[in-house]
Amino acid sequence: MFRTPASMILALLVVAVTGASAHATTTTEWDWPVEAPHPIIRPYIAPDTAYSAGHRGIDIGAGTTTEVRAPAAGAVHFAGVVVDRPVLSLRHPGGLITSYEPVTTTLARGDSVQQGDVIGELQPGHCSVACIHFGVRLDGEYVSPLNYLGAIPRAILLPTRKP
Protein backbone atom coordinates (compact mmCIF):
# COMPACT_ATOMS: atom_id res chain seq x y z
CA MET A 1 0.00 0.00 0.00
CA PHE A 2 2.62 2.58 1.10
CA ARG A 3 5.95 2.29 -0.66
CA THR A 4 8.09 4.20 1.84
CA PRO A 5 7.89 5.02 5.53
CA ALA A 6 7.96 8.72 4.59
CA SER A 7 4.80 8.42 2.47
CA MET A 8 3.04 6.59 5.30
CA ILE A 9 4.03 9.33 7.78
CA LEU A 10 2.83 12.02 5.37
CA ALA A 11 -0.56 10.28 4.98
CA LEU A 12 -0.95 9.98 8.76
CA LEU A 13 -0.09 13.66 9.23
CA VAL A 14 -2.72 14.69 6.67
CA VAL A 15 -5.37 12.68 8.52
CA ALA A 16 -4.29 13.99 11.94
CA VAL A 17 -4.34 17.64 10.94
CA THR A 18 -7.42 17.67 8.72
CA GLY A 19 -9.48 14.96 10.39
CA ALA A 20 -9.96 13.55 6.91
CA SER A 21 -11.46 10.15 6.42
CA ALA A 22 -13.15 8.31 3.63
CA HIS A 23 -16.49 9.43 5.06
CA ALA A 24 -15.55 13.02 5.86
CA THR A 25 -16.36 14.55 2.50
CA THR A 26 -19.52 15.76 0.88
CA THR A 27 -20.60 16.42 -2.67
CA THR A 28 -22.42 19.64 -1.73
CA GLU A 29 -20.27 22.53 -0.58
CA TRP A 30 -21.51 24.23 2.54
CA ASP A 31 -21.68 27.95 3.23
CA TRP A 32 -19.47 29.47 5.91
CA PRO A 33 -21.44 30.31 9.08
CA VAL A 34 -20.19 33.93 9.11
CA GLU A 35 -19.58 36.42 6.32
CA ALA A 36 -16.23 36.72 4.54
CA PRO A 37 -13.38 36.99 5.09
CA HIS A 38 -12.99 33.73 7.01
CA PRO A 39 -9.69 33.89 8.88
CA ILE A 40 -9.05 30.70 10.81
CA ILE A 41 -7.98 31.87 14.26
CA ARG A 42 -7.47 28.36 15.60
CA PRO A 43 -7.47 25.27 13.35
CA TYR A 44 -9.01 21.85 13.87
CA ILE A 45 -6.62 19.55 15.72
CA ALA A 46 -7.70 15.92 15.76
CA PRO A 47 -7.31 14.28 19.16
CA ASP A 48 -5.29 11.07 19.37
CA THR A 49 -8.24 9.34 21.05
CA ALA A 50 -11.81 10.31 21.86
CA TYR A 51 -10.66 11.56 25.28
CA SER A 52 -7.34 13.19 24.28
CA ALA A 53 -6.60 16.88 24.02
CA GLY A 54 -7.35 18.48 20.66
CA HIS A 55 -9.41 21.26 19.14
CA ARG A 56 -12.63 19.69 17.89
CA GLY A 57 -13.62 22.41 15.48
CA ILE A 58 -12.30 25.65 14.03
CA ASP A 59 -12.43 29.17 15.37
CA ILE A 60 -13.38 31.56 12.57
CA GLY A 61 -12.82 35.31 12.86
CA ALA A 62 -16.16 37.07 12.48
CA GLY A 63 -15.09 40.66 11.90
CA THR A 64 -18.04 42.96 12.55
CA THR A 65 -20.79 40.44 11.78
CA THR A 66 -23.03 39.02 14.48
CA GLU A 67 -25.32 36.98 12.20
CA VAL A 68 -24.66 33.25 12.13
CA ARG A 69 -26.03 31.34 9.14
CA ALA A 70 -26.78 27.68 8.48
CA PRO A 71 -24.06 26.16 6.30
CA ALA A 72 -26.53 23.56 4.97
CA ALA A 73 -30.16 22.55 5.39
CA GLY A 74 -31.04 20.74 8.59
CA ALA A 75 -32.96 20.90 11.85
CA VAL A 76 -32.11 22.22 15.30
CA HIS A 77 -30.64 19.41 17.39
CA PHE A 78 -29.82 21.50 20.50
CA ALA A 79 -30.19 25.13 21.54
CA GLY A 80 -29.17 26.12 25.04
CA VAL A 81 -26.34 26.77 27.45
CA VAL A 82 -23.48 24.35 28.03
CA VAL A 83 -21.55 25.22 31.19
CA ASP A 84 -21.62 29.01 30.73
CA ARG A 85 -21.72 29.36 26.94
CA PRO A 86 -24.70 29.52 24.54
CA VAL A 87 -24.49 26.66 22.03
CA LEU A 88 -26.53 25.78 18.94
CA SER A 89 -26.33 22.45 17.11
CA LEU A 90 -27.96 21.46 13.83
CA ARG A 91 -28.59 17.94 12.53
CA HIS A 92 -27.97 17.49 8.79
CA PRO A 93 -28.57 14.51 6.48
CA GLY A 94 -25.91 11.81 6.35
CA GLY A 95 -25.17 11.55 10.09
CA LEU A 96 -23.79 15.09 10.39
CA ILE A 97 -24.21 17.47 13.33
CA THR A 98 -22.75 20.98 13.33
CA SER A 99 -22.28 23.13 16.42
CA TYR A 100 -21.75 26.83 16.94
CA GLU A 101 -20.63 28.73 20.02
CA PRO A 102 -21.08 31.22 21.56
CA VAL A 103 -24.35 31.70 19.69
CA THR A 104 -27.78 32.69 20.98
CA THR A 105 -30.88 31.79 19.00
CA THR A 106 -34.66 31.98 19.05
CA LEU A 107 -34.85 28.58 17.35
CA ALA A 108 -35.97 25.47 19.24
CA ARG A 109 -35.24 21.76 18.92
CA GLY A 110 -36.80 20.38 15.74
CA ASP A 111 -37.07 23.70 13.88
CA SER A 112 -36.05 23.33 10.21
CA VAL A 113 -33.45 25.58 8.61
CA GLN A 114 -32.32 26.04 5.02
CA GLN A 115 -28.79 26.70 3.80
CA GLY A 116 -28.03 30.39 4.35
CA ASP A 117 -30.79 31.04 6.92
CA VAL A 118 -29.85 33.20 9.90
CA ILE A 119 -29.78 30.75 12.81
CA GLY A 120 -28.47 32.90 15.62
CA GLU A 121 -26.40 35.78 16.87
CA LEU A 122 -22.71 35.56 17.73
CA GLN A 123 -21.87 36.53 21.30
CA PRO A 124 -18.50 37.79 22.54
CA GLY A 125 -16.17 35.80 24.73
CA HIS A 126 -14.77 32.79 22.89
CA CYS A 127 -11.63 34.42 21.45
CA SER A 128 -9.79 37.68 22.12
CA VAL A 129 -11.45 38.97 18.90
CA ALA A 130 -14.96 38.29 17.57
CA CYS A 131 -14.99 34.65 16.51
CA ILE A 132 -17.21 31.60 16.29
CA HIS A 133 -16.28 28.06 17.21
CA PHE A 134 -17.64 25.79 14.46
CA GLY A 135 -17.58 22.02 14.94
CA VAL A 136 -18.73 19.09 12.81
CA ARG A 137 -19.43 15.52 13.88
CA LEU A 138 -19.92 12.68 11.43
CA ASP A 139 -21.67 9.67 12.99
CA GLY A 140 -20.59 10.98 16.41
CA GLU A 141 -16.91 11.50 15.53
CA TYR A 142 -15.43 14.98 15.20
CA VAL A 143 -14.02 15.86 11.77
CA SER A 144 -12.58 19.05 10.33
CA PRO A 145 -15.28 21.51 9.24
CA LEU A 146 -12.96 22.49 6.39
CA ASN A 147 -13.87 19.17 4.72
CA TYR A 148 -17.35 20.57 4.13
CA LEU A 149 -16.51 24.20 3.42
CA GLY A 150 -14.44 23.45 0.32
CA ALA A 151 -11.32 24.72 2.07
CA ILE A 152 -9.25 21.53 1.90
CA PRO A 153 -8.09 20.68 -1.59
CA ARG A 154 -8.27 17.01 -2.49
CA ALA A 155 -4.97 15.26 -1.87
CA ILE A 156 -3.33 13.68 -4.89
CA LEU A 157 -0.65 11.15 -4.07
CA LEU A 158 2.03 10.87 -6.69
CA PRO A 159 4.35 7.91 -7.07
CA THR A 160 7.77 8.37 -5.48
CA ARG A 161 9.50 6.36 -8.22
CA LYS A 162 8.79 5.01 -11.67
CA PRO A 163 7.26 1.51 -11.87
Side-chain angles (χ1 to χ4, degrees):
M1 181 168 172
F2 293 106
R3 295 185 187 262
T4 67
S7 62
M8 183 168 64
I9 291 169
L10 177 61
L12 291 172
L13 285 173
V14 167
V15 170
V17 171
T18 65
S21 75
H23 302 289
T25 59
T26 182
T27 56
T28 304
E29 191 170 304
W30 287 2
D31 291 339
W32 288 77
V34 292
E35 66 186 28
H38 309 112
I40 305 298
I41 293 173
R42 187 169 178 206
Y44 175 84
I45 301 170
D48 290 334
T49 70
Y51 302 102
S52 298
H55 188 240
R56 293 163 174 84
I58 58 175
D59 293 342
I60 307 166
T64 59
T65 188
T66 59
E67 285 186 340
V68 178
R69 296 184 176 272
V76 175
H77 176 70
F78 174 83
V81 175
V82 176
V83 184
D84 61 351
R85 185 172 295 156
V87 176
L88 173 65
S89 294
L90 302 178
R91 182 176 297 280
H92 306 277
L96 291 160
I97 294 179
T98 54
S99 31
Y100 317 83
E101 59 179 277
V103 172
T104 55
T105 187
T106 58
L107 298 172
R109 183 177 175 91
D111 287 349
S112 293
V113 298
Q114 297 303 310
Q115 186 171 19
D117 285 355
V118 174
I119 56 173
E121 184 174 343
L122 181 62
Q123 301 299 307
H126 183 64
C127 303
S128 59
V129 298
C131 84
I132 185 170
H133 179 83
F134 178 47
V136 177
R137 286 180 284 163
L138 174 62
D139 298 327
E141 300 292 325
Y142 283 94
V143 295
S144 174
L146 297 178
N147 291 328
Y148 299 91
L149 296 169
I152 296 178
R154 247 188 207 290
I156 299 174
L157 299 177
L158 302 173
T160 57
R161 57 188 151 148
K162 294 181 181 181

